[in-house]
Amino acid sequence: TIFFLFALAEFFVWKKSNFDQSPLRRTFKSKVLAHYPQNIEWNPFDQDAVNMLCMPKGLSFRTQADNRDPQLHSFIITREDGSRTYGFVLTFYEEVTSKQICTAMQTLYQMHNAEQYSSVCASSSCSMDSLASSIDEGDATSLAKLQRYNSYDISRDTLYVSKCICLITPLPFMQACKKFLIQLYKAVTSQQPPPLPLESYIHNILYEVPLPPPGRSLKFYGVYEPIICQRPGPNELPLSDYPLREVFELLGLENLVQVFTCVLLEMQILLYSQDYQRLMTVAEGITTLLFPFQWQHVYVPILPASLLHFLDAPVPYLMGLQSKEGTDRSKLELPQEANLCFVDIDNHFIELPEEFPQFPNKLEFIQEISEVLLQFGIPPEGNLHCSDSATKLKNLVLSDLVNDKKNGNIPGNALNMYELLKGNETIARLQALAKRTGVTMEKMTITAPLVEKEKDGKLPCEEVELRDYKLNVQLREVFANRFTQMFADYEAFVIQAAPDMESWLTNREQMQNFDKASFLSDQPEPYLPFLSHFIETQMFATFIDNKIISQWEEKDPFLRVFDSRIEKIRLYNVRAPALRTSNYQKCSTLKEAAQSIEQRLLKIDHTAIHPHLLDMKIGQGKYEQGFFPKLQSDVLATGPTNNNRWASRSTTAQRRKDRLRQHSEHIGLDNDLREKYMQEARSLGKNLRQPKLSDLSPAVIAQTNWKFVEGLLKECRMKTKRMLVEKMGHEAVELGHGEANITGLEENTLIASLCDLLERIWSHGLQVKQVDHYCNFVLTSHIFSTVVAVGTERRKSDTGITLPTLRVSLIQDMRHVQNMSEIKTDVGRARAWIRLSLEKKLLSQHLKQLLSNQALAKKLYKRYAFLRCEEEREQFLYHLLSLNAVDYFCFTSVFTTIMIPYRSVIIPIKKLSNAITTSNPWICVSGELGDTGVMQIPKNHLEMTFECQNLGKLTTVQIGHDNSGLLAKWLVDCVMVRNEITGHTYKFPCGRWLGKGVDDGSLERILIGELVSSTSDEELGKQCRTPPQQKSPTTARRLSITSLTGKNTRQIQEGIGEAVNNIVKHFHKPEKERGSLTILLCGENGLVAALEQVFHHGFKSARIFHKNVFIWDFIEKAVAYFETTDQIGDNEEALLLQRSSCKTFCHYVNAINTAPRNIGKDGKFQILVCLGTRDHLLAQWIPLLAECPPITRMYEENALLRDRMTVNSLIRVLQTLQDFNIILEGSLIKGVDV
């Protein structure tokens, strides 16, 4: 049976607020007068919460001159265990019969008028001369105006006080409850008493009206008319009775989709309206559309005035705030504006967070919803301009509204014209006259329409109501279909790691339940910005938790319906899980869903018993028009004892048993360790999401804020741990990089999540609400001289080259961010500063420096603020310090268009060559985002600074000179390049000569970069110094070429396999998470180096007549042979293929030799390998080189290239690269035209 509650509220004392307003405009304290039944064991009555939500503003008074139309609104109470209770309230005005209260009101008015009179006199007496005139002339007129427009006269005016009746239900049967309350109110205000005492109708709905079975409809009886309610079937969308039509009319389609996206991403949502019912309708409408997900955080659609401090909560919330008439939005002081979505319902206006991704396929999605709305005659842009009467109609949710300016009579849904006019004053006098003559027709006119309706066989449900039901279900189907399409394969990525529920709950916090990286890599590119944020939300985590728990417990109802829909899609589409498409697929079940609900309302499945006379005491509950009677509590305290067909059903006992079990799980088993883990796992951070509304003592408020602090610290610990695990949990050396790194989308999502957390921490308990909290705090700290910058220190290397240590300065970092013209908002600058500090591994240090000013912290923050809790603050900084263990590029990779200053230093090997060359040196720095172009290095300088657009991660440096002057030969150890904003320093090892007639004769070299570890300045200085004299300045590739003949051939072959395998792994990673392909090709362990070892193996003497011989010499001799000799073969097809390969090989080598670049022989071999890899020709060239005659003259007999088995193995390995589209960096092949 549905649990209903019946409550009344009235005033006793006024609130200590708004004393500047007139007494009739003030609000007073209300209280619950009665509720039935008195107590329910498994669902205790929360009197304080009901009182606050029935009359959120408090109790109010009116006179006969004021508008006293009844108002209907609803509310929701969310308990700490997550269960919800719905309340439906009808507020009306009842005449005050107590002379004591009327006298008190007049006294209040006299005091108020006296204060107003004194203020008028004070404002008019600006001088002694004007004082006399104001006494003579101003007093009389001002006092007359006050008495005329702002007074209450007990002898002339009738005083009315607000009162409400309320139904509380566990399910949102809004339409049925609305109709019952309206009929109940009509019975009180009608001139004729109701057919039965009010107790009969209330007893009937409390104890004799059952819950409709799933998929069935039920008819029960109000005071005058039957009322229909229905429940969806097991495989239909859950019950939702709030009209989505009103939500779309109030917000408009575009605004609603934007707000819906903010709710999905768990931002802070604040609804704002003068109308309580609008707040509730919009909140319930949007959360209903979340199916199969459920809002997991603070949910208070109607926020009572006494709970405004809840807006300080640094957690996601969805709250509704009533606006006062004439209040300007700009005067609202709201916290967390950086992450706040503000929805002004009355003005059809929303303020969105500055940075958030759009919902996938947004335009097509809006188009599909528009088509549904237009079928029902609703404009997609909404209906902002509503008349007063239309607004009242929405507030009452009625089809007819009688506004007689006196008693607010509310008719039923099927009243005739006489019934409509019954409350009119003129009609009332005629009715009283007719009654004295003995004529009365009222009872007949009420019942006749009902009989006619049933005879005509029309729908028991009104046409307008039916249209709302059909529109509701079709709109919900469209939204549900989007999630079904987007998450059709989610089960494939759920990680079922625990053998049983107990172990899973115990280790819940440490376990990864969803393979997020694989899921994202499987999604269409347009979906990624939204999905990467959404899968980090609590609602998605709870959804996955429910999926895992479903293998041990009964499935969550939402999950059961969603999984059944996915199964249906698979049966119809039969598509493979890996095949994802961004093509929009419309919902195909709209007609079917509308028909099912229409059939339920067309044919009533069950009918409850009629209200009937109760065993009541005679003389009590006497009817008096316009006054709600005092009900007999004894007859409403318990249910019926007769054995009727509804009472005999086991539904009540079963529901009670289920609720008791649920209640005990959350409350009664705290001492059991297993259940404690279960409770924490199921509601991680639940104490932050839904504080108890009714307990408002200062101690409890302080405890709630303390829980916020603890929750923020726990969230910080979890986020930093997750970021470290994601960074360090991959292979130790992946894809040829020095250390494991995640890149792209997933890292960006984690960084954005950290920014959100820091914003909430910085805004918690802030005295003055502002957007750029920590930006302003940084600047204020600077003003108070708390920032001490570490001065620049220049360290000399062994070569005498100066390399200045990068200055560590918080203010300098702030200036860098403020100078970024691409960022237009304070929020953007704040997040850029966080990203920069994190990339520089200074985030914890900078924040600690900011928080060192205790006086400023006390001035800006309340005592309970997170940043004033010393122990938690230290732990918070410690968790952030742990992020220094890994490298982030979250600033460099996001702000790709900003101008960045760089510093480069060329470090020669002075002891073996000249430190300065007499030629004209130049340099070109390249990165993942572009290059600088050729830049001339000033003569006699080895260090230079330059500014250019962000290059991203640096990859190569091209260095060379024009070979002019007497001292042109130059032995370069390495080139160091540093990003002067982020501090990232790259080392480009060289160890080779630049100059004609030395080494391989190169005037230009391409150097491959590696990021220098920034563990300390001392180590950085050491890495920049020249190696000790006893070490030869040779590179890894030139290591003792003659000794390679005796090197283990297995090691060389393994090196080739590893280099190729790294490239294959590179292309199997998601595109946005791939590393640098240049390093995999040309790095120390890259493909070029591996092939060099193969070609060096068995190479004959490195010196012939004191002249170095290089691999490129062998390549050129092979080309000369191919160009002068015709190949001979038995197989004509093979011969043609061989000729084609020879021709291509010669073309590539000649193009490299004729390129307008002064690259040496080793550099030319590197270009040839890169081009052959790109164009998938290496596997064709290797057998040509292995069989040409020059190989016998230049290689030993045991060389790898002369071993047929080894060559065939090498060919097979290189053929694995044929399937990949390899794109070379421009600096590698610049000037080579093939």
Side-chain angles (χ1 to χ4, degrees):
T1 304
I2 307 175
F3 167 52
F4 283 91
L5 178 140
F6 179 73
L8 297 172
E10 197 175 337
F11 83 102
F12 277 84
V13 296
W14 55 82
K15 296 181 178 180
K16 295 181 179 179
S17 62
N18 301 324
F19 281 104
D20 56 333
Q21 296 182 347
S22 64
L24 283 178
R25 296 295 173 261
R26 298 176 188 172
T27 56
F28 298 80
K29 190 174 181 180
S30 60
K31 86 166 194 177
V32 177
L33 295 180
H35 63 92
Y36 312 101
Q38 290 297 317
N39 190 31
I40 297 292
E41 183 181 359
W42 51 269
N43 202 348
F45 178 62
D46 192 342
Q47 180 164 308
D48 293 331
V50 171
N51 182 29
M52 279 193 297
L53 294 171
C54 280
M55 290 189 170
K57 288 190 300 185
L59 185 138
S60 58
F61 288 90
R62 296 285 186 271
T63 66
Q64 77 282 352
D66 299 312
N67 179 24
R68 303 186 310 282
D69 293 335
Q71 301 287 324
L72 188 140
H73 78 273
S74 54
F75 62 82
I76 187 172
I77 298 176
T78 306
R79 293 187 174 83
E80 292 178 345
D81 64 358
S83 61
R84 292 181 174 182
T85 301
Y86 294 85
F88 304 93
V89 185
L90 182 66
T91 304
F92 57 95
Y93 286 89
E94 193 173 272
E95 185 179 342
V96 177
T97 57
S98 170
K99 291 185 178 180
Q100 184 180 2
I101 295 175
C102 295
T103 303
M105 179 60 70
Q106 184 163 16
T107 303
L108 284 175
Y109 256 105
Q110 290 172 350
M111 296 169 58
H112 176 74
N113 289 337
E115 292 175 4
Q116 294 293 314
Y117 173 72
S118 61
S119 64
V120 169
C121 292
S123 62
S124 61
S125 56
C126 55
S127 66
M128 291 301 294
D129 295 333
S130 62
L131 178 60
S133 61
S134 64
I135 293 175
D136 295 336
E137 300 173 6
D139 292 356
T141 56
S142 299
L143 187 59
K145 287 181 180 179
L146 285 172
Q147 291 176 343
R148 187 181 309 161
Y149 298 110
N150 197 14
S151 65
Y152 165 73
D153 189 341
I154 193 171
S155 62
R156 183 191 66 210
D157 298 319
T158 304
L159 189 64
Y160 295 86
V161 64
S162 60
K163 182 176 282 190
C164 71
I165 50 179
C166 172
L167 279 173
I168 294 182
T169 73
L171 292 175
F173 290 105
M174 195 201 75
Q175 299 293 340
C177 293
K178 172 202 69 175
K179 292 179 181 179
F180 182 83
L181 291 175
I182 290 172
Q183 292 190 39
L184 202 63
Y185 173 73
K186 177 177 175 289
V188 174
T189 57
S190 174
Q191 292 184 350
Q192 290 291 328
L196 296 171
L198 293 185
E199 287 86 346
S200 296
Y201 303 103
I202 297 170
H203 183 275
N204 178 254
I205 199 170
L206 287 179
Y207 302 111
E208 297 172 335
V209 176
L211 186 68
R216 301 298 180 89
S217 55
L218 170 74
K219 178 169 72 174
F220 66 97
Y221 294 90
V223 181
Y224 301 114
E225 295 180 347
I227 300 170
I228 311 297
C229 63
Q230 56 88 31
R231 278 180 77 189
N235 292 322
E236 297 180 47
L237 295 175
L239 175 67
S240 175
D241 223 17
Y242 286 85
L244 291 175
R245 169 183 53 80
E246 292 187 24
V247 182
F248 281 89
E249 287 179 343
L250 290 169
L251 296 183
L253 176 54
E254 175 76 22
N255 285 347
L256 186 137
V257 172
Q258 295 286 65
V259 176
F260 176 72
T261 307
C262 291
V263 173
L264 283 171
L265 299 178
E266 293 186 346
M267 299 179 177
Q268 293 179 320
I269 318 295
L270 183 62
L271 309 177
Y272 193 63
S273 174
Q274 292 186 42
D275 192 321
Y276 291 128
Q277 185 61 15
R278 285 185 174 182
L279 295 173
M280 188 69 184
T281 300
V282 172
E284 279 294 293
I286 291 177
T287 53
T288 294
L289 298 175
L290 294 177
F291 174 88
F293 308 103
Q294 300 175 68
W295 181 258
Q296 297 293 317
H297 298 276
V298 176
Y299 183 63
V300 188
I302 298 176
L303 186 65
S306 56
L307 299 181
L308 291 182
H309 62 276
F310 270 46
L311 295 175
D312 283 324
V315 294
Y317 59 69
L318 202 168
M319 299 194 200
L321 183 65
Q322 195 210 26
S323 60
K324 297 179 181 178
E325 191 171 356
T327 301
D328 187 8
R329 156 73 178 96
S330 60
K331 295 180 181 178
L332 281 176
E333 288 188 354
L334 300 174
Q336 273 302 102
E337 294 189 10
N339 200 35
L340 179 71
C341 174
F342 181 81
V343 184
D344 190 342
I345 298 173
D346 298 337
N347 294 316
H348 205 73
F349 171 74
I350 61 173
E351 291 179 11
L352 295 168
E354 297 181 26
E355 298 177 5
F356 75 98
Q358 297 297 316
F359 193 74
N361 296 116
K362 178 183 171 185
L363 295 179
E364 296 92 338
F365 185 47
I366 288 178
Q367 178 63 32
E368 184 179 11
I369 300 171
S370 298
E371 293 173 3
V372 176
L373 292 173
L374 290 172
Q375 287 179 4
F376 289 84
I378 299 172
E381 64 274 10
N383 186 14
L384 173 62
H385 304 291
C386 301
S387 63
D388 291 338
S389 59
T391 302
K392 294 170 186 174
L393 181 140
K394 289 180 181 178
N395 294 341
L396 289 169
V397 203
L398 298 172
S399 57
D400 296 299
L401 173 64
V402 177
N403 183 5
D404 59 6
K405 300 286 186 178
K406 185 174 182 179
N407 57 16
N409 189 27
I410 305 299
N413 289 328
L415 299 180
N416 56 19
M417 186 58 67
Y418 176 81
E419 194 70 23
L420 183 66
L421 297 174
K422 183 180 66 174
N424 186 275
E425 293 184 8
T426 305
I427 297 298
R429 296 192 193 98
L430 294 174
Q431 188 181 32
L433 179 62
K435 188 175 181 180
R436 286 196 293 271
T437 63
V439 178
T440 176
M441 297 288 289
E442 189 170 0
K443 189 171 182 180
M444 290 175 59
T445 54
I446 291 174
T447 57
L450 297 178
V451 177
E452 292 174 5
K453 191 170 186 177
E454 290 180 359
K455 285 183 179 180
D456 292 341
K458 295 181 181 178
L459 287 175
C461 177
E462 288 186 3
E463 184 178 351
V464 174
E465 187 178 330
L466 176 61
R467 285 174 58 83
D468 278 352
Y469 275 124
K470 293 168 70 174
L471 176 62
N472 263 26
V473 72
Q474 290 195 7
L475 288 171
R476 295 175 66 199
E477 286 288 343
V478 172
F479 279 79
N481 177 65
R482 289 310 307 134
F483 289 121
T484 306
Q485 298 291 341
M486 290 163 59
F487 294 96
D489 303 319
Y490 85 96
E491 290 182 77
F493 304 97
V494 176
I495 301 174
Q496 305 277 6
D500 54 66
M501 187 172 181
E502 183 173 351
S503 61
W504 180 80
L505 291 171
T506 304
N507 301 295
R508 168 68 187 89
E509 198 170 316
Q510 289 77 32
M511 295 178 68
Q512 186 177 358
N513 295 331
F514 192 74
D515 188 354
K516 298 176 181 178
S518 298
F519 175 77
L520 290 175
S521 66
D522 192 37
Q523 303 307 308
E525 182 76 17
Y527 289 12
L528 294 180
F530 171 80
L531 287 177
S532 61
H533 286 75
F534 178 67
I535 63 175
E536 297 293 334
T537 61
Q538 185 63 42
M539 71 173 72
F540 185 78
T542 303
F543 174 77
I544 297 301
D545 286 351
N546 289 338
K547 179 64 178 177
I548 294 174
I549 292 175
S550 67
Q551 61 185 321
W552 302 298
E553 286 188 350
E554 185 180 355
K555 266 191 180 182
D556 175 76
F558 280 47
L559 181 65
R560 185 187 68 249
V561 175
F562 187 66
D563 282 352
S564 68
R565 288 167 175 252
I566 291 178
E567 191 63 32
K568 190 175 180 181
I569 284 182
R570 288 175 180 167
L571 289 174
Y572 284 128
N573 296 349
V574 197
R575 66 179 180 85
L579 298 177
R580 299 294 293 159
T581 174
S582 60
N583 293 336
Y584 190 83
Q585 295 176 308
K586 286 188 176 182
C587 180
S588 59
T589 59
L590 297 182
K591 187 176 180 181
E592 177 185 342
Q595 285 177 347
S596 62
I597 196 167
E598 185 174 5
Q599 289 173 1
R600 271 200 300 273
L601 295 172
L602 180 64
K603 181 183 177 183
I604 305 302
D605 298 300
H606 303 286
T607 303
I609 64 174
H610 285 257
H612 51 86
L613 283 172
L614 303 175
D615 186 12
M616 297 173 58
K617 298 177 182 177
I618 300 175
Q620 291 193 11
K622 185 177 180 181
Y623 174 78
E624 186 177 357
Q625 182 184 1
F627 293 91
F628 207 98
K630 183 179 180 181
L631 303 175
Q632 294 189 26
S633 58
D634 54 339
V635 299
L636 297 176
T638 57
T641 57
N642 61 317
N643 190 21
N644 64 66
R645 66 191 180 109
W646 295 112
S648 62
R649 293 173 64 92
S650 61
T651 311
T652 305
Q654 184 62 39
R655 274 194 68 256
R656 187 169 300 176
K657 181 179 178 181
D658 292 343
R659 291 301 296 268
L660 278 171
R661 179 182 61 81
Q662 181 188 12
H663 193 60
S664 65
E665 281 181 356
H666 290 280
I667 297 176
L669 301 176
D670 290 343
N671 295 327
D672 190 296
L673 182 61
R674 176 178 175 273
E675 291 299 327
K676 179 183 178 182
Y677 281 129
M678 183 181 296
Q679 190 176 17
E680 291 180 354
R682 281 178 171 166
S683 56
L684 183 62
K686 183 77 77 174
N687 53 355
L688 297 181
R689 297 179 204 146
Q690 199 61 41
K692 192 174 181 181
L693 298 181
S694 57
D695 196 343
L696 296 175
S697 65
V700 172
I701 293 175
Q703 184 182 6
T704 302
N705 279 302
W706 183 249
K707 287 181 179 179
F708 287 153
V709 170
E710 289 181 333
L712 286 171
L713 182 61
K714 186 174 184 180
E715 187 177 353
C716 179
R717 176 172 59 82
M718 292 177 65
K719 284 190 185 301
T720 52
K721 180 180 177 181
R722 164 83 192 283
M723 293 170 71
L724 287 172
V725 168
E726 290 292 339
K727 272 285 195 180
M728 305 177 70
H730 295 276
E731 299 173 61
V733 179
E734 184 178 17
L735 305 185
H737 293 285
E739 65 173 340
N741 283 308
I742 59 169
T743 58
L745 194 65
E746 189 171 3
E747 177 178 312
N748 200 39
T749 301
L750 293 173
I751 302 300
S753 178
L754 178 67
C755 289
D756 291 338
L757 173 65
L758 291 178
E759 286 172 4
R760 285 187 277 130
I761 287 176
W762 230 257
S763 65
H764 181 239
L766 196 63
Q767 296 275 15
V768 181
K769 303 303 177 188
Q770 51 196 6
V771 177
D772 49 331
H773 305 309
Y774 36 95
C775 276
N776 281 337
F777 196 23
V778 171
L779 298 177
T780 311
S781 300
H782 178 51
I783 294 171
F784 279 78
S785 303
T786 62
V787 177
V788 180
V790 178
T792 302
E793 175 189 353
R794 301 184 72 87
R795 185 189 303 277
K796 287 195 174 184
S797 69
D798 292 343
T799 63
I801 305 302
T802 58
L803 183 68
T805 302
L806 188 65
R807 187 175 179 225
V808 178
S809 169
L810 187 154
I811 294 302
Q812 189 64 37
D813 289 346
M814 279 300 306
R815 285 174 180 158
H816 282 313
V817 172
Q818 288 174 332
N819 291 334
M820 293 166 60
S821 59
E822 295 82 357
I823 305 177
K824 308 296 183 185
T825 64
D826 291 325
V827 176
R829 294 186 188 96
R831 294 196 170 201
W833 179 77
I834 289 179
R835 288 176 177 272
L836 177 59
S837 300
L838 185 60
E839 186 165 324
K840 296 181 73 171
K841 302 186 177 182
L842 294 172
L843 182 58
S844 179
Q845 178 181 330
H846 281 348
L847 294 182
K848 185 175 183 179
Q849 195 172 347
L850 290 175
L851 297 172
S852 61
N853 191 332
Q854 297 295 328
L856 184 60
K858 290 180 180 179
K859 180 181 178 181
L860 294 179
Y861 288 92
K862 299 172 184 175
R863 179 64 192 91
Y864 63 78
F866 181 94
L867 295 179
R868 291 189 62 186
C869 301
E870 294 185 10
E871 185 176 343
E872 282 69 24
R873 186 180 63 207
E874 290 301 316
Q875 293 183 50
F876 158 68
L877 294 173
Y878 173 77
H879 291 315
L880 293 181
L881 183 63
S882 66
L883 297 177
N884 291 359
V886 292
D887 292 324
Y888 286 99
F889 293 89
C890 49
F891 180 86
T892 304
S893 61
V894 170
F895 302 103
T896 57
T897 61
I898 64 173
M899 299 299 292
I900 290 182
Y902 292 89
R903 182 185 299 270
S904 68
V905 177
I906 301 170
I907 302 178
I909 302 179
K910 185 178 179 182
K911 293 176 181 176
L912 297 179
S913 73
N914 303 307
I916 302 293
T917 179
T918 58
S919 58
N920 299 305
W922 56 267
I923 192 173
C924 176
V925 182
S926 300
E928 293 179 346
L929 302 177
D931 62 65
T932 61
V934 174
M935 300 181 295
Q936 295 294 328
I937 302 173
K939 276 203 170 186
N940 301 324
H941 286 82
L942 294 175
E943 179 181 341
M944 66 179 291
T945 58
F946 56 92
E947 189 177 68
C948 65
Q949 187 169 302
N950 185 3
L951 300 174
K953 295 180 184 178
L954 303 187
T955 53
T956 63
V957 159
Q958 300 168 67
I959 184 173
H961 62 75
D962 60 0
N963 203 43
S964 62
L966 296 175
L967 302 175
K969 298 174 183 178
W970 201 18
L971 181 59
V972 176
D973 178 25
C974 65
V975 177
M976 309 291 294
V977 182
R978 183 172 66 203
N979 183 320
E980 293 293 278
I981 292 182
T982 65
H984 284 313
T985 304
Y986 295 84
K987 182 178 181 180
F988 298 86
C990 181
R992 305 288 295 271
W993 286 90
L994 289 170
K996 291 290 185 180
V998 64
D999 205 333
D1000 64 347
S1002 177
L1003 294 180
E1004 172 186 342
R1005 295 202 181 275
I1006 302 172
L1007 310 181
I1008 310 302
E1010 58 185 28
L1011 183 65
V1012 177
S1013 175
S1014 57
T1015 50
S1016 68
D1017 292 341
E1018 183 67 25
E1019 291 185 13
L1020 181 61
K1022 289 180 180 179
Q1023 291 170 347
C1024 297
R1025 295 174 189 165
T1026 304
Q1029 185 175 0
Q1030 63 267 25
K1031 293 185 179 179
S1032 60
T1034 55
T1035 64
R1037 293 189 194 169
R1038 300 295 295 169
L1039 276 175
S1040 190
I1041 294 175
T1042 54
S1043 68
L1044 285 174
T1045 305
K1047 188 174 181 180
N1048 189 339
T1049 57
R1050 178 179 295 180
Q1051 294 177 350
I1052 297 176
Q1053 289 175 311
E1054 287 177 352
I1056 283 284
E1058 184 178 351
V1060 172
N1061 189 42
N1062 284 337
I1063 296 175
V1064 173
K1065 288 164 63 178
H1066 168 88
F1067 284 100
H1068 278 89
K1069 296 282 286 182
E1071 186 175 352
K1072 292 191 176 182
E1073 296 185 11
R1074 297 173 183 172
S1076 170
L1077 185 59
T1078 301
I1079 293 177
L1080 302 182
L1081 289 172
C1082 306
E1084 185 176 354
N1085 297 312
L1087 181 62
V1088 174
L1091 283 174
E1092 278 187 345
Q1093 288 193 356
V1094 173
F1095 276 83
H1096 279 143
H1097 187 268
F1099 205 53
K1100 287 186 178 180
S1101 176
R1103 289 182 178 272
I1104 300 177
F1105 303 110
H1106 304 285
K1107 182 180 179 182
N1108 285 337
V1109 180
F1110 296 88
I1111 299 173
W1112 193 251
D1113 295 322
F1114 166 65
I1115 299 294
E1116 288 181 330
K1117 289 183 181 297
V1119 169
Y1121 169 76
F1122 293 144
E1123 289 178 340
T1124 58
T1125 306
D1126 291 331
Q1127 285 74 26
I1128 301 174
D1130 299 331
N1131 190 328
E1132 185 177 350
E1133 185 178 348
L1135 183 61
L1136 289 174
L1137 181 62
Q1138 189 179 21
R1139 286 178 179 174
S1140 175
S1141 298
C1142 288
K1143 185 178 181 181
T1144 305
F1145 179 73
C1146 295
H1147 172 64
Y1148 275 65
V1149 173
N1150 292 330
I1152 294 172
N1153 277 329
T1154 58
R1157 297 181 67 176
N1158 295 309
I1159 296 179
K1161 294 180 178 180
D1162 282 346
K1164 292 178 179 179
F1165 178 77
Q1166 175 176 289
I1167 294 176
L1168 182 65
V1169 173
C1170 290
L1171 289 173
T1173 306
R1174 182 194 69 180
D1175 299 334
H1176 308 131
L1177 297 171
L1178 282 181
Q1180 299 176 24
W1181 293 347
I1182 294 295
L1184 294 177
L1185 294 171
E1187 295 173 4
C1188 69
I1191 198 170
T1192 59
R1193 298 193 300 270
M1194 302 187 71
Y1195 280 87
E1196 302 287 348
E1197 192 171 338
N1198 63 345
L1200 288 176
L1201 284 179
R1202 297 185 65 177
D1203 181 68
R1204 184 175 295 275
M1205 290 184 61
T1206 303
V1207 170
N1208 290 336
S1209 175
L1210 178 61
I1211 292 171
R1212 286 195 300 271
V1213 171
L1214 293 175
Q1215 283 175 340
T1216 60
L1217 300 177
Q1218 304 280 50
D1219 298 331
F1220 304 115
N1221 181 26
I1222 295 175
I1223 299 175
L1224 298 177
E1225 188 174 329
S1227 61
L1228 294 178
I1229 56 173
K1230 184 186 297 183
V1232 180
D1233 183 15
V1234 294

